[in-house]
C-alpha cells in the first residue's frame, strides 16, 4: 500500500470514530427533533406534517414566552453571581497563594463537588434553606429572627442560589486557566511604569482574562437554560423553567411536536449565545494583538 | 440518636430479608408495574414473589397523566399499570391495553358490582381492568398549626395561611378551583368556567409553598413544617404523617371531594402474561387486598376479601359496607376536553 493511501486510511480511522459518534448522537437526534417540531399532535402521539402551528403557539400563548423570559432572567442572574464569586476565587488562587502545592489543593477542593451527584448537592440546599432548616434554626437561635422565615426556599431566590453553587466550579476553571497564562512580566512592566495595582488590574489582568470569563459565563448560562432539577427540588409555584415545560410537553401534556419546537427555540438561543461569546473572544484577542 | 440507629438497623435488616426472599424465589419470570406509591409494598409483594416466582419491579407515577406518556415512550417496558377510573378508558382508547381474559381469573364475583360493571372498564362486553382500590381526594391540615377546623376549599385561598398551602401538581387542581367558583360540572367545564378556574389558581399562587408531585413529597412538606394544608390521597399520607408523630387531620369540604377507583390493566403485547395473570389473581385475595389497605389506608374493591380480612370496625370505617358511598363523592371521569384541561393547568404553573 502506498504511504499516502495508508495515511488516508489512518486519518479516516482516527476521525471516523468521533465523526460517526457526533453524527449518531448529535445530528441525528437534532434532525429528528427538528422534524417533529413541524408535526401535528394527534392523541396519543402525532402525525407527520409540515406546518408552523407549533412555533406560532409558542408566541401566541403567553405561558411559553413567559417561562422563556423567566428562564433567561434566572440564567442571567446565575451567570452574574457565578462569575462574581468565581473571579476573586480564581484570582486569589493564581496570584495570592504562594505555595504551588496549596494552590493545587485549593483548586482541587473547588472541583471536587463536581464529582458528587448534582441531585444530592441540590437536595442538600433543601435541608439548609427550609423553614426548619439549618439557616433558619441558626437565625432563630441567634435571635436575628423571631420565627423561621419562608423566604429562603421554594422560590426563585433558592433556584438562583442552588444553581450558582452548582456552576461556580465551571466558572473557576476557565478563569483560573486564563489568569494563570498571564505572564508575570506584563504586570511588572505596568508597575515599572508607575501604575498602581488597581489600574494594573483594570488595564492588564482583567482584559487578558476576558476569554476565561466568557467561557465560564457561557457554560453557566447554557447549563442553567436547560436545568430542570433546581425548579423541581427548590423552586416554588413560580419556579417553572423552560426545561420543566419541555419535560411536561413530552410527558403529561403529551404534545411532542410542541415540545420539539420549544427545544428548537432553546437550542437556537444557546447556539446564539455560544456564537456571540466566541466572536467576542476573538475580537478581544485581536485588540490585544 | 439511639432511635435513629435502631431505625437504621431495622431498615438494613428489612433490606437483607427482602434480598434473601428474592434470592430464594426461583426467578421464573418478571413483572414490571407502572403504578402508584404504596401499590407495590414489600409487605404484600414479597409473599407474591415467593409463591409465584415472579420478580416484581415497580415504577411510580405522580399523576394519572403520566401513564399514557410512559406507554408511548417506552414500549415493552411495563406489564401492568394501575390507572384511575378516569384514565382507564384513555389507555384503552389509545390502544395500549389488552382485554382481561376473565376465564383466567378467580374471584371476580367478589368485587363490588358497582366497580366490576363500571362503564369506564367495560366496553363491548369486555373487561379492561381488574378493580383494586378506591377512595377520595379529601383535604388535610396540620391541627397544631391551624386551630379552627377548615370546612371549605376557601381555606386554601385564605391569606392567613400564605406560604403554607400546597396542591397536587395534577389537573385535579382545576377541579378544586372550579368547585370553589361554584361550578359543579367539573369534568365538562366550558371555556369561561375553565378561564375562571385558571384565574382562581393564579390568584392562589402567592400563597402556594410548592405544588406536590408524589405522595412522599407531600409527606415531607407536611413533616418539615413547610405546608399546613393541601389536598391529599385520602388515608395514605395522613397515616404516614401520624406514624411520624405529625398531627394532621383530613376533611371533606362543603364543596365535596373527588372520588376515585384504581384498576390493574394489562399492557398490550406483554411477554409476561403468566406473571401478569398471577398478579391479577393475587390482587383479589384477602392477603393483597388487606395488605394494600394497611399500607395506603384506601378502601378496597373486593367486598368478599375485605369481609374476610378486615375487622368489622375497619370494614365500616372504610365504607366497605356501602360502596355506594363513592357516588356521594364526585367520581373522577375523563374530562370532555382532557387536552384543554392539561394545557390550562400548565398555563397556571407557567404564569407569573
Amino acid at each position: 500500500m502506498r504511504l499516502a493511501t495508508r495515511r488516508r486510511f489512518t486519518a479516516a480511522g482516527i476521525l471516523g470514530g468521533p465523526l460517526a459518534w457526533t453524527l449518531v448522537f448529535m445530528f441525528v437526534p437534532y434532525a429528528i427533533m427538528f422534524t417533529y417540531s413541524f408535526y401535528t399532535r394527534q392523541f396519543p402521539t402525532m402525525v407527520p406534517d409540515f406546518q408552523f402551528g407549533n412555533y406560532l403557539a409558542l408566541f401566541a400563548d403567553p405561558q411559553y414566552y413567559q417561562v422563556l423570559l423567566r428562564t433567561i432572567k434566572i440564567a442571567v442572574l446565575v451567570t452574574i453571581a457565578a462569575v462574581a464569586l468565581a473571579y476573586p476565587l480564581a484570582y486569589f488562587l493564581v496570584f495570592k497563594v504562594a505555595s504551588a502545592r496549596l494552590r493545587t489543593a485549593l483548586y482541587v477542593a473547588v472541583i471536587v463537588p463536581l464529582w458528587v451527584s448534582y441531585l444530592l448537592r441540590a437536595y442538600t440546599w433543601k435541608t439548609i434553606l427550609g423553614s426548619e432548616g439549618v439557616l433558619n434554626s441558626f437565625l432563630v437561635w441567634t435571635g436575628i429572627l423571631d420565627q423561621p422565615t419562608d423566604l429562603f426556599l421554594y422560590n426563585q431566590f433558592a433556584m438562583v442560589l442552588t444553581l450558582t453553587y452548582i456552576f461556580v466550579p465551571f466558572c473557576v476553571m476557565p478563569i483560573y486557566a486564563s489568569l494563570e497564562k498571564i505572564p508575570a512580566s506584563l504586570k511588572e512592566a505596568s508597575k515599572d511604569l508607575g501604575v498602581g495595582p488597581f489600574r494594573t488590574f483594570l488595564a492588564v489582568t482583567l482584559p487578558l482574562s476576558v476569554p476565561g470569563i466568557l467561557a465560564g459565563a457561557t457554560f453557566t448560562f447554557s447549563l442553567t437554560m436547560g436545568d430542570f432539577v433546581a425548579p423541581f427540588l427548590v423552586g416554588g409555584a413560580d419556579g417553572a423553567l423552560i426545561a420543566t415545560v419541555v419535560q411536561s410537553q413530552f410527558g403529561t401534556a403529551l404534545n411532542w411536536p410542541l415540545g420539539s419546537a420549544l427545544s428548537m427555540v432553546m437550542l437556537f438561543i444557546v447556539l446564539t449565545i455560544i456564537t456571540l461569546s466566541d466572536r467576542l473572544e476573538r475580537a478581544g484577542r485581536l485588540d490585544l494583538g | 440518636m439511639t432511635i435513629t440507629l435502631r431505625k437504621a438497623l431495622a431498615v438494613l435488616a428489612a433490606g437483607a430479608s427482602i434480598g434473601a426472599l428474592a434470592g430464594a424465589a426461583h426467578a421464573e419470570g418478571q413483572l414490571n408495574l407502572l403504578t402508584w406509591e404504596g401499590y407495590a409494598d414489600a409487605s404484600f409483594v414479597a409473599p407474591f414473589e415467593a409463591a409465584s416466582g415472579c420478580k416484581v419491579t415497580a415504577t411510580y407515577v405522580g399523576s394519572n397523566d403520566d401513564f399514557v406518556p410512559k406507554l408511548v415512550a417506552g414500549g415493552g417496558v411495563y406489564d401492568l399499570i394501575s390507572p384511575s377510573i378516569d384514565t382507564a378508558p384513555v389507555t384503552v382508547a389509545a390502544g395500549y391495553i389488552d382485554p382481561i381474559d376473565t376465564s383466567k381469573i378467580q374471584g371476580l364475583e367478589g368485587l363490588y358490582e358497582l366497580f366490576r360493571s363500571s362503564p369506564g372498564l367495560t366496553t363491548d362486553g369486555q373487561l379492561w381492568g381488574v378493580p383494586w382500590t378506591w377512595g377520595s381526594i379529601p383535604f388535610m391540615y396540620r391541627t397544631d398549626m391551624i386551630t379552627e377546623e377548615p370546612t371549605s376549599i376557601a381555606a386554601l385561598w385564605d391569606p392567613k395561611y400564605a406560604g403554607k398551602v400546597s396542591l397536587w401538581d395534577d389537573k385535579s387542581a382545576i377541579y378544586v378551583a372550579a368547585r370553589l367558583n361554584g361550578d359543579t360540572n367539573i369534568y365538562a367545564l366550558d371555556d369561561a368556567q375553565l378561564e375562571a378556574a385558571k384565574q382562581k389558581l393564579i390568584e392562589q399562587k402567592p400563597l402556594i409553598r410548592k405544588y406536590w408531585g408524589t405522595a412522599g413529597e407531600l409527606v415531607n412538606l407536611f413533616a418539615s413544617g413547610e405546608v399546613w394544608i393541601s389536598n391529599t390521597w385520602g388515608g395514605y399520607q395522613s397515616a404516614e404523617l401520624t406514624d411520624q408523630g405529625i398531627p394532621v387531620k383530613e376533611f371533606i369540604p362543603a364543596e365535596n371531594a373527588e372520588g376515585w377507583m384504581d384498576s390493574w390493566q394489562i399492557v398490550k403485547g406483554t411477554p409476561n402474561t403468566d406473571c401478569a395473570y398471577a398478579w391479577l389473581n393475587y390482587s383479589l385475595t384477602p392477603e393483597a387486598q388487606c395488605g394494600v389497605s394497611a399500607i395506603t389506608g384506601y378502601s378496597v374493591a373486593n367486598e368478599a376479601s375485605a369481609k374476610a380480612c378486615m375487622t368489622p370496625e375497619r370494614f365500616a370505617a372504610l365504607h366497605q359496607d356501602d360502596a355506594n358511598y363513592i357516588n356521594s363523592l364526585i367520581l373522577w371521569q375523563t374530562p370532555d376536553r382532557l387536552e384543554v384541561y392539561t394545557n390550562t393547568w400548565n398555563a397556571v404553573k407557567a404564569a407569573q
Side-chain angles (χ1 to χ4, degrees):
Chain A
M1 213 187 286
R2 292 218 336 255
L3 190 65
T5 325
R6 211 188 303 163
R7 274 218 186 116
R8 210 178 295 146
F9 268 108
T10 319
I14 292 171
L15 287 177
L19 260 179
W21 193 90
T22 325
L23 194 72
V24 172
F25 293 108
M26 296 262 306
F27 291 110
V28 171
Y30 284 140
I32 293 174
M33 195 84 101
F34 186 62
T35 317
Y36 280 178
S37 71
F38 299 104
Y39 280 19
T40 300
R41 175 185 196 270
Q42 190 183 66
F43 183 82
T45 51
M46 55 194 170
V47 287
D49 202 347
F50 185 75
Q51 45 93 22
F52 295 89
N54 302 310
Y55 289 97
L56 287 177
L58 295 184
F59 296 100
D61 189 338
Q63 64 166 299
Y64 304 111
Y65 61 73
Q66 272 174 3
V67 175
L68 196 61
L69 289 177
R70 178 189 304 155
T71 310
I72 293 173
K73 181 186 90 183
I74 299 275
V76 167
L77 288 173
V78 171
T79 308
I80 293 172
V83 170
L85 284 172
Y87 198 92
L89 181 60
Y91 189 90
F92 172 79
L93 288 179
V94 173
F95 298 120
K96 301 291 169 187
V97 180
S99 142
R101 230 163 151 198
L102 181 63
R103 189 185 311 148
T104 314
L106 286 173
Y107 183 74
V108 169
V110 173
I111 308 303
V112 154
L114 291 181
W115 291 322
V116 178
S117 150
Y118 168 23
L119 204 67
L120 192 70
R121 283 182 293 148
Y123 206 90
T124 312
W125 280 103
K126 271 174 78 158
T127 59
I128 297 173
L129 300 173
S131 296
E132 292 172 10
V134 179
L135 184 57
N136 261 312
S137 307
F138 176 75
L139 290 176
V140 172
W141 179 69
T142 52
I144 295 172
L145 289 180
D146 292 342
Q147 51 185 12
T149 169
D150 292 344
L151 292 177
F152 300 140
L153 187 58
Y154 300 131
N155 50 32
Q156 298 188 356
F157 163 78
M159 292 204 294
V160 171
L161 183 69
T162 304
L163 288 167
T164 302
Y165 165 74
I166 304 271
F167 294 133
V168 157
F170 288 96
C171 270
V172 171
M173 287 189 279
I175 296 175
Y176 180 93
S178 68
L179 288 175
E180 208 183 22
K181 271 188 280 178
I182 299 175
S185 54
L186 288 181
K187 284 176 82 179
E188 281 161 14
S190 176
K191 205 176 170 187
D192 289 347
L193 291 168
V195 177
F198 186 64
R199 275 195 61 205
T200 302
F201 171 75
L202 285 185
V204 179
T205 317
L206 187 61
L208 288 175
S209 59
V210 162
I213 298 176
L214 282 175
T218 310
F219 263 135
T220 307
F221 186 90
S222 308
L223 291 173
T224 305
M225 277 293 288
D227 189 82
F228 70 95
V229 175
F232 175 70
L233 284 179
V234 299
D238 64 350
L241 294 188
I242 202 71
T244 327
V245 178
V246 170
Q247 191 197 17
S248 108
Q249 292 305 322
F250 281 90
T252 53
L254 214 55
N255 195 338
W256 290 18
L258 192 71
S260 303
L262 206 48
S263 308
M264 281 298 134
V265 171
M266 258 174 88
L267 187 66
F268 176 76
I269 293 172
V270 168
L271 286 179
T272 309
I273 297 280
I274 292 175
T275 315
L276 278 179
S277 101
D278 193 46
R279 288 259 170 87
L280 266 171
E281 197 202 315
R282 276 165 211 268
R285 256 188 227 155
L286 275 178
D287 281 347
L288 291 159
Chain B
M1 198 57 176
T2 38
I3 295 171
T4 329
L5 193 67
R6 207 179 301 153
K7 232 184 211 167
L9 283 173
V11 170
L12 274 178
S17 64
I18 290 167
L21 255 175
H26 35 116
E28 282 172 12
Q30 50 173 336
L31 191 60
N32 298 301
L33 310 177
L34 181 63
T35 188
W36 302 97
E37 291 156 282
Y39 283 6
D41 192 82
S43 62
F44 57 93
V45 164
F48 168 77
E49 288 182 322
S52 68
C54 299
K55 173 97 187 69
V56 175
T57 315
T59 307
Y60 298 112
V61 294
S63 161
N64 270 300
D65 295 331
D66 288 337
F67 285 105
V68 175
K70 292 245 189 218
L71 295 176
V72 172
V77 178
Y78 306 108
D79 305 310
L80 287 172
I81 63 171
S82 64
S84 304
I85 192 64
D86 59 333
T87 303
V90 180
T91 58
V92 173
Y96 292 116
I97 302 301
D98 270 339
I100 305 285
D101 182 350
T102 49
S103 70
K104 287 190 189 167
I105 298 184
Q106 261 105 60
L108 279 173
E109 65 285 347
L111 291 164
Y112 292 98
E113 173 63 27
L114 170 75
F115 298 145
R116 199 174 11 140
S117 60
S118 162
L121 286 182
T122 47
T123 45
D124 314 326
Q126 271 178 320
L127 187 65
W128 295 92
V130 176
W132 164 242
T133 49
W134 57 283
S136 63
I137 305 290
F139 293 78
M140 173 171 77
Y141 67 102
R142 276 207 35 178
T143 52
D144 54 342
M145 302 296 180
I146 296 179
T147 40
E148 51 179 312
E149 180 164 359
T151 53
S152 160
I153 291 177
L156 284 91
W157 269 259
D158 191 335
K160 254 193 310 200
Y161 309 130
K164 295 296 176 190
V165 180
S166 187
L167 261 189
W168 183 15
D169 183 355
D170 179 82
K171 61 179 179 291
S172 71
I174 294 168
Y175 307 157
V176 172
R179 295 211 299 286
L180 183 59
N181 284 337
D183 297 324
T184 47
N185 56 332
I186 56 174
Y187 308 117
L189 297 169
D190 63 30
D191 285 342
Q193 290 172 319
L194 267 175
E195 182 59 28
K198 178 176 146 190
Q199 292 309 328
K200 203 81 199 168
L201 288 165
I202 291 176
E203 175 196 325
Q204 187 200 28
K205 283 187 82 173
L207 310 182
I208 293 280
R209 188 73 172 135
K210 188 163 186 20
Y211 297 119
W212 58 274
T214 64
E217 187 179 14
L218 184 65
V219 168
N220 286 336
L221 286 170
F222 263 83
S224 59
E226 304 287 355
V227 164
W228 295 348
I229 188 164
S230 171
N231 54 353
T232 177
W233 299 342
Y236 187 23
Q237 287 120 326
S238 59
E240 289 218 350
L241 285 162
T242 307
D243 279 352
Q244 294 183 25
I246 310 289
V248 291
K249 196 176 166 192
E250 291 179 356
F251 70 100
I252 293 199
E255 297 87 355
N256 205 353
E258 298 136 46
W260 54 266
M261 193 266 286
D262 293 347
S263 314
W264 289 108
Q265 293 187 309
I266 302 176
V267 177
K268 182 168 266 172
T270 163
N272 303 316
T273 323
D274 291 343
C275 280
Y277 275 98
W279 176 263
L280 293 178
N281 272 300
Y282 177 69
S283 78
L284 294 168
T285 62
E287 196 174 12
Q289 289 273 288
C290 268
V292 70
S293 181
I295 293 296
T296 59
Y298 300 155
S299 307
V300 294
N302 191 336
E303 185 176 15
S305 289
K307 216 169 242 166
C309 66
M310 280 180 192
T311 62
E313 295 78 36
R314 189 168 170 80
F315 193 79
L318 290 177
H319 303 282
Q320 301 285 167
D321 53 349
D322 175 25
N324 265 313
Y325 167 75
I326 203 170
N327 286 328
S328 73
L329 302 166
I330 317 168
L331 188 59
W332 274 349
Q333 292 169 22
T334 319
D336 295 350
R337 298 179 298 159
L338 179 60
E339 187 191 342
V340 183
Y341 275 63
T342 318
N343 196 36
T344 305
W345 175 232
N346 277 336
V348 170
K349 287 191 289 178
Q352 298 293 349

